[in-house]
Amino acid sequence: MNVGVVTFPGSNCDADARHAAALANADNGDVVHQLWHKDSVIPQGLDAIILPGGFSYGDYLRTGAIARFSPIMKEVIAFANNGGVVLGICNGFQILCESGLLPGALIRNENLKFVCKDVFLKVENTNTPFTNTVKKGSVLRMPVAHGDGRYTASEAEIILLEKNKQIVYRYVSQTGEKNAEANPNGSMHNIAGICNKDGNVMGLMPHPERASEALLGSADGFTVFTGLLAHFQRKQAQVVA
Amino acid sequence: MVTPYSEIEVTELTATELGLTAAEYAKIVEVLGRTPSYTELGVYSVMWSEHCSYKNSILQLKTLPRSGGRLLVEAGEENAGVVDMGGGYGVAFKIESHNHPSAVEPFQGAATGVGGILRDIFTMGARPIAALNSLRFGEPDTERTKYLVRGVVSGIGHYGNCFGVPTVAGEVYFDRCYTDNPLVNAMAVGVLRTDAMASATAEGVGNPVFIMGSSTGRDGIHGASLLASREFDSMTENMRPTVQVGDPFAEKLLLEASLELIAAKVVVGMQDMGAAGICCSSSEMSAKGNVGMKLNLDVVPLREADMSAYEIMLSESQERMLVVIEKGKESIAKTICDKWDVPFVEIGTVTDTLHVEVYRNEKLVSSIPAKSLVLGGDAPVYVREQTEPDYLKLTRKPIDKGATLNQDEFEKVLRKLLSAPTIASKRWIYEQYDSQVGANTIARWQGDAAVVRLKELPGKAVAVTTDCNSRYAYLNPYRGGMLAVAEAARNCVCVGAHPVAITNCLNFGNPYDPEVYWQFAEVIRGMGDMCRALDTPVTGGNVSFHNESQSHAIFPTPTIGMLGVIDDMSYVTGNTFTAEGNSVALIGWQQVELGGSEYMKTVKGRITGDAPEIIIENEVALQKAALLAIRGGYVSAAHDCAEGGLIVALAEMCFGSTVGCEIDIPFAHNVGELFGEAQSRIVLELSNKNIDSVKQICADHGVPFTLLGKTSGNTFIITELCNIEVQELASEYYNALPDILETVHA
């Protein structure tokens, strides 16, 4: 698959996302592009764009609020609106919400402290380019690392998210229970990751790229990258057929 | 020759107001052959301060082993030491203190401490891959101490998290002696290509000198000379403006631009601006390259236009570098800095005058021979008086180590120790640090040291740890120095790493107090002896004197940052039990010890006795045997006995999982055996089929092997002494610190 990872000033998980995407591409040799925030064109034939974690523009003003205005985001928004696959991880999720590609907002953690630890996620929608290789209801282990990860939306938006099955991941206990203890930041309804109505844009606070090798403690996050790979291989097969 | 312009007339009184002695002032006049200008006096006052010149410590530091083994860059040569990792890569690492700024303004003090040490690493061309810290606070029973803990922790997190370096390990101790003067020691580790290492040297007459990064403001002026180089007193509160303010976002951009400049081969030399700003970087780079520099301060980007030369030279504004670029390659450099939106301004040139000449408002304001400012040049070097401290006569009285405990008493002591702030879980702290950014962190908080893999060298990793038990150093400075090094190495060994080198941060009281200086000399003697025995040379570090409050000095605190090498990641071993039915064994020398123990402090309320004995040959043999056993694949978990002794080590091994243990202590059931902190001991979990192999390895090295029991169930059982659910003990261990730190008393 042909993936581009955007580097904003202050992105610090861009190399990690490129590394995980390259691992997924190990067998096909496809390139992972580094996209620059000042670029106003994106490479031809890109399958997916990843907005990585970090502190774009120092997270000054509000997380993701400045990045949303960078030249590359015009292209990303057009790409997404055209059906292109976009994944936002952590700061990338915040940028997706700020740019209106996803509903809701990510605000300061409930306990006002940065939190870095492993969490468990229940996969609630497996009908996305990111989760299609996982069984519905699976519990995955991935780390979070953020100060502003508390997902918040209006009740009307939440109802729509539920109705359209846009809630992809929820924080749960190791055994799959949705409870307050499993929620690391006070997110509404334990929401950890959502997608847009069409399913081609997804944002999540946990870091799948940091859980993409067993060596690092968990390879559960790699499902996001293998999911993407399977999705594009299937698409390509359809085109060929 | 033009005499530099002086805003005010300089006298001996002006000099002493800036922290210089009358004799030092006389020497400045002698070196210059005239009265210094006000700017020049400011420059000397910071360059000859304790913080920059090491004038009271260098003679002792030179006794440490500073070369050999895998060292590519030796102590003092560059901003940080570099260890060869093979395959064309090296690892740079260094630890530094930011104690006084953190006492005055904990959040920014700690944050800029992290920022400063990161710059030391990347100014050499190394990409930071791990950060560590070592913190000391007073007892967390006052609101002020809790405020300091919260501030320091969020400052460290803020800077490291945003910059994007994983904070992978650290240590935190609480003791009354740090109440007014907490310690914040920050360490950074980075990886570099050995053929692309940047040097902090100015060379090539005519090469342009650039200032890169943030603009220069009035923050941090005299941070090094006045704040860091004297004790706290009633004036300290007024010194808050001397604490710098950090911007990790600016540092992240500076990192990327610096590494790209170095990779583009346009850099002749580069030095970060930490203590003493432009004045320190320009003079050190010039002295090292045996050249001069001509600097025009009128073009330095300023935050306030009316800043004087004095203020510009001494400003400690953060996130700045001084860079000498190869002439003709300025535009390549400028393009790179523009790409990262990092300000990059030519402020001068390299000259052959051997002087750093500084102009402001088109007037020469300072012209000083670079060599006269630095260590190894004219900077003063002092031999200080030493006296064995009086307090040792009191603390060295024998203590009763033989009190036996019944089950009730044992449980009470165990619970008390597990919830003592120094032993209790530091999860409340470390979960505020991003420990995984970079996707290299193999082990974080489940091993005796953190393990970070090197993507550049597949299969290889480094182990890193910071250690120091300052109670030991207080009770017996020589042994304390040895023990800090030994423990750091032992921690590396326990995760399967071969310890290769140390960096150190030596935190002491006032060096002009002969008792403090004796502590300093003795600690260094101990460190040197242990470093030589373990073949772990000292790659550099920093000395922080004047850590005193109005009534007393801190315990001598020689923080050791140890680097270990792992050549095969299958060696990596944790410190928590992995499965039921395995054997639990103690390797090493069981002894009855109690001096300086957490037991004595927490249960008896006294810091007394002698530091635990350590026999160098035993420690070396233990580490060799343990590493062989671990690398042979015979060991499932390894944990060294430290604070709280054998029993606490066993309990801690239960906490990472739900696996308990059943132990029958084959020693007397007295406090000295159970909770004493005898050195050179490691607890191992091993499957039964490996017992003979490990026994054999131990026998080969003359290391005692004692079977203690087995892992089983979810209960912590010590025959005749204790039978408690692991869950229950773990919750006391994990909740102690949050309960203390989240409770606010009016």
Side-chain angles (χ1 to χ4, degrees):
Chain A
M1 59 181 165
N2 209 343
V3 186
V5 178
V6 178
T7 299
F8 298 99
S11 293
N12 60 33
C13 305
D14 48 336
D16 304 351
R18 293 200 303 272
H19 178 73
L23 286 178
N25 269 344
D27 291 335
N28 59 43
D30 283 348
V31 208
V32 179
H33 304 268
Q34 181 176 14
L35 309 182
W36 188 239
H37 66 106
K38 290 176 184 169
D39 289 350
S40 49
V41 282
I42 52 174
Q44 287 288 308
L46 215 50
D47 292 319
I49 295 176
I50 299 176
L51 306 184
F55 290 70
S56 55
Y57 298 89
D59 272 354
Y60 291 128
L61 185 60
R62 202 170 59 236
T63 58
I66 303 175
R68 169 236 187 290
F69 291 104
S70 61
I72 192 78
M73 280 310 294
K74 241 186 224 154
E75 302 306 310
V76 174
I77 292 167
F79 180 78
N81 288 338
N82 209 13
V85 170
V86 177
L87 168 65
I89 302 168
C90 198
N91 193 227
F93 186 13
Q94 294 162 341
I95 297 168
L96 288 175
C97 289
E98 283 289 336
S99 57
L101 286 173
L102 290 175
L106 293 145
I107 63 172
R108 198 93 187 108
N109 293 348
E110 195 172 22
N111 70 4
L112 306 181
K113 290 202 291 281
F114 189 95
V115 60
C116 175
K117 64 176 181 184
D118 281 3
V119 295
F120 294 94
L121 304 170
K122 185 176 256 178
V123 187
E124 301 211 339
N125 179 352
T126 55
N127 191 24
T128 76
F130 316 93
T131 51
N132 60 79
T133 56
V134 189
K135 257 202 212 118
K136 193 169 175 187
S138 309
V139 175
L140 307 180
R141 183 188 186 122
M142 289 186 215
V144 290
H146 57 248
D148 301 78
R150 182 182 184 188
Y151 185 77
T152 310
S154 69
E155 269 314 316
E157 281 171 317
I158 298 275
I159 290 168
L160 272 179
L161 287 175
E162 298 273 11
K163 188 178 140 228
N164 298 331
K165 301 198 184 339
Q166 285 173 252
I167 298 166
V168 184
Y169 300 107
R170 258 191 246 265
Y171 300 110
V172 292
S173 70
Q174 189 159 11
T175 47
E177 277 89 15
K178 179 189 135 192
N179 56 35
E181 214 169 282
N183 188 340
N185 51 32
S187 286
M188 289 174 82
H189 305 279
N190 284 37
I191 291 171
I194 58 168
C195 63
N196 64 354
K197 211 174 153 198
D198 293 336
N200 61 315
V201 178
M202 180 177 86
L204 77 169
M205 286 314 294
H207 285 272
E209 81 284 14
R210 296 185 188 181
S212 285
E213 293 167 85
L215 190 66
L216 302 177
S218 169
D220 291 354
F222 201 45
T223 55
V224 173
F225 300 92
T226 51
L228 282 172
L229 185 66
H231 172 80
F232 293 118
Q233 283 174 343
R234 212 172 310 133
K235 240 174 96 177
Q236 207 167 33
Q238 281 164 0
V239 173
V240 173
Chain B
M1 174 162 176
V2 186
T3 303
Y5 168 80
S6 189
E7 291 94 334
I8 60 167
E9 197 186 333
V10 169
T11 63
E12 189 182 295
L13 181 66
T14 336
T16 50
E17 278 170 0
L18 295 180
L20 290 160
T21 65
E24 286 167 349
Y25 177 69
K27 193 168 175 192
I28 293 168
V29 173
E30 187 196 316
V31 168
L32 293 177
R34 58 177 164 79
T35 303
S37 73
Y38 186 52
T39 305
E40 289 172 329
L41 188 70
V43 169
Y44 275 108
S45 77
V46 288
M47 291 305 295
W48 286 10
S49 72
E50 188 64 55
H51 190 85
C52 293
S53 74
Y54 291 82
K55 60 189 171 191
N56 287 309
S57 60
I58 189 64
L59 292 178
Q60 299 296 330
L61 296 176
K62 280 188 169 165
T63 67
L64 290 168
R66 297 188 297 168
S67 58
R70 289 172 174 244
L71 289 200
L72 290 175
V73 172
E74 294 178 4
E77 278 182 8
E78 290 290 348
N79 281 296
V82 177
V83 167
D84 189 9
M85 294 300 297
Y89 287 92
V91 166
F93 71 117
K94 190 182 182 188
I95 190 166
E96 230 173 46
S97 64
H98 227 215
N99 303 336
H100 286 188
S102 303
V104 177
E105 213 301 288
F107 181 90
Q108 289 297 345
T112 52
V114 174
I117 196 66
L118 288 167
R119 278 194 303 285
D120 271 337
I121 296 300
F122 71 75
T123 191
M124 298 184 68
R127 179 173 285 279
I129 56 166
L132 298 89
N133 54 72
S134 172
L135 311 177
R136 299 288 182 283
F137 298 101
E139 296 296 337
D141 53 10
T142 67
E143 283 312 308
R144 171 158 170 85
T145 294
K146 291 188 210 175
Y147 153 78
L148 289 174
V149 176
R150 293 186 201 111
V152 164
V153 169
S154 63
I156 290 172
H158 166 70
Y159 208 99
N161 298 348
C162 180
F163 175 83
V165 64
T167 301
V168 296
E171 47 153 24
V172 189
Y173 283 73
F174 298 88
D175 195 287
R176 200 67 70 199
C177 75
Y178 302 109
T179 303
D180 295 329
N181 195 135
L183 301 185
V184 174
N185 294 176
M187 172 169 159
V189 184
V191 61
L192 50 72
R193 284 200 58 91
T194 50
D195 61 359
M197 207 181 326
S199 173
T201 312
E203 275 170 5
V205 172
N207 277 332
V209 180
F210 285 80
I211 190 167
M212 176 180 175
S214 299
S215 54
T216 298
R218 285 191 163 108
D219 51 336
I221 293 171
H222 277 301
S225 55
L226 292 188
L227 185 54
S229 299
R230 63 178 214 167
E231 287 84 53
F232 287 137
D233 53 27
S234 55
M235 295 298 289
T236 305
E237 194 59 18
N238 303 333
M239 301 193 82
R240 200 168 298 211
T242 65
V243 177
Q244 314 85 330
V245 176
D247 179 358
F249 172 59
E251 179 115 325
K252 167 70 173 165
L253 301 180
L254 188 63
L255 159 78
E256 299 299 342
S258 301
L259 293 187
E260 230 175 283
L261 284 180
I262 293 166
K265 299 193 187 306
V266 299
V267 174
V268 174
M270 184 184 252
Q271 178 157 348
D272 75 298
M273 289 188 216
I278 299 179
C279 109
C280 183
S281 50
S282 62
S283 53
E284 288 188 356
M285 288 181 81
S286 300
K288 208 164 151 207
N290 211 18
V291 294
M293 256 185 215
K294 191 171 171 183
L295 302 176
N296 176 10
L297 300 185
D298 295 341
V299 293
V300 172
L302 299 177
R303 293 179 198 170
E304 290 162 90
D306 63 344
M307 286 175 69
S308 69
Y310 182 102
E311 291 171 316
I312 298 168
M313 289 297 280
L314 268 59
S315 163
E316 293 186 6
S317 288
Q318 298 289 291
E319 292 94 24
R320 297 178 302 157
M321 293 278 192
L322 195 72
V323 197
V324 178
I325 296 288
E326 192 181 324
K327 197 167 175 57
K329 296 192 172 169
E330 295 90 335
S331 67
I332 304 173
K334 181 86 175 92
T335 306
I336 291 169
C337 289
D338 284 350
K339 173 185 164 189
W340 289 102
D341 298 316
V342 171
F344 187 68
V345 177
E346 185 173 339
I347 62 165
T349 47
V350 176
T351 66
D352 59 2
T353 62
L354 308 186
H355 280 57
V356 177
E357 296 162 285
V358 180
Y359 290 82
R360 176 68 173 147
N361 298 326
E362 293 167 15
K363 282 197 280 273
L364 179 71
V365 289
S366 173
S367 176
I368 303 178
K371 280 242 158 48
S372 76
L373 291 167
V374 302
L375 182 67
D378 292 330
V381 173
Y382 297 127
V383 179
R384 295 250 77 89
E385 193 187 331
Q386 305 178 21
T387 325
E388 182 166 323
D390 263 347
Y391 72 81
L392 289 172
K393 292 192 189 97
L394 296 172
T395 58
R396 277 188 183 154
K397 285 184 184 148
I399 48 174
D400 177 18
K401 302 170 185 172
T404 52
L405 298 173
N406 65 29
Q407 183 159 350
D408 263 8
E409 292 161 339
F410 179 91
E411 280 194 15
K412 260 189 210 138
V413 170
L414 176 60
R415 287 172 199 269
K416 200 158 186 187
L417 288 178
L418 290 176
S419 54
T422 291
I423 290 181
S425 166
K426 306 300 181 296
R427 187 166 71 184
W428 185 89
I429 292 172
Y430 65 68
E431 281 189 352
Q432 297 186 52
Y433 304 148
D434 187 335
S435 53
Q436 288 169 307
V437 58
N440 293 321
T441 312
I442 305 299
R444 313 174 258 170
W445 315 103
Q446 309 88 355
D448 278 12
V451 179
V452 181
R453 67 139 169 220
L454 303 172
K455 282 200 194 89
E456 297 81 357
L457 295 168
K460 285 199 185 189
V462 291
V464 279
T465 176
T466 52
D467 289 286
C468 174
N469 184 319
S470 61
R471 283 203 292 271
Y472 301 163
Y474 169 70
L475 296 173
N476 186 333
Y478 172 67
R479 270 192 203 167
M482 289 205 285
L483 294 173
V485 174
E487 188 187 352
R490 215 182 297 135
N491 283 335
C492 283
V493 164
C494 282
V495 298
H498 177 231
V500 293
I502 71 161
T503 172
N504 61 79
C505 193
L506 305 173
N507 307 273
F508 287 78
N510 183 346
Y512 295 83
D513 175 342
E515 295 195 350
V516 168
Y517 205 77
W518 184 85
Q519 293 175 330
F520 181 67
E522 282 292 288
V523 160
I524 287 191
R525 191 166 68 85
M527 285 170 51
D529 283 352
M530 191 50 81
C531 283
R532 276 182 287 270
L534 294 170
D535 194 20
T536 52
V538 179
T539 63
N542 119 289
V543 179
S544 171
F545 281 131
H546 302 281
N547 292 293
E548 308 213 351
S549 314
Q550 284 152 42
S551 58
H552 59 87
I554 59 158
F555 290 165
T557 312
T559 308
I560 304 299
M562 179 74 73
L563 182 81
V565 172
I566 295 173
D567 291 317
D568 177 345
M569 271 193 282
S570 66
Y571 299 151
V572 177
T573 302
N575 63 2
T576 58
F577 292 138
T578 59
E580 290 187 44
N582 282 339
S583 292
V584 179
L586 177 73
I587 64 170
W589 287 263
Q590 177 70 16
Q591 308 255 34
V592 181
E593 289 278 9
L594 217 47
S597 63
E598 190 66 32
Y599 172 86
M600 282 304 290
K601 185 200 163 202
T602 304
V603 179
K604 296 289 175 190
R606 284 182 291 146
I607 291 166
T608 185
D610 200 351
E613 190 185 13
I614 183 156
I615 297 167
I616 288 182
E617 302 74 47
N618 287 359
E619 183 66 36
V620 172
L622 172 79
Q623 293 192 15
K624 276 194 181 143
L627 194 59
L628 272 176
I630 289 169
R631 291 189 165 191
Y634 304 125
V635 175
S636 318
H639 189 25
D640 87 312
C641 295
E643 289 76 22
L646 177 60
I647 298 298
V648 166
L650 286 165
E652 286 172 344
M653 293 182 84
C654 296
F655 295 157
S657 59
T658 49
V659 181
C661 60
E662 258 184 79
I663 302 296
D664 192 356
I665 298 286
F667 316 115
H669 289 184
N670 63 49
V671 288
E673 299 269 12
L674 300 167
F675 298 105
E677 298 175 8
Q679 297 295 300
S680 309
R681 293 182 301 163
I682 296 174
V683 180
L684 303 179
E685 178 201 16
L686 50 159
S687 69
N688 303 328
K689 66 176 195 306
N690 291 329
I691 292 178
D692 288 341
S693 311
V694 175
K695 262 187 178 166
Q696 188 58 51
I697 291 171
C698 286
D700 291 347
H701 290 82
V703 175
F705 176 100
T706 314
L707 217 47
L708 297 177
K710 59 177 198 225
T711 57
S712 80
N714 46 21
T715 314
F716 185 64
I717 301 173
I718 310 283
T719 310
E720 293 172 17
L721 289 173
C722 145
N723 187 332
I724 313 175
E725 297 265 311
V726 168
Q727 205 64 49
E728 192 186 326
L729 285 179
S731 90
E732 293 185 28
Y733 174 75
Y734 285 111
N735 290 332
L737 220 45
D739 285 351
I740 293 168
L741 292 170
E742 305 223 321
T743 313
V744 178
H745 295 286

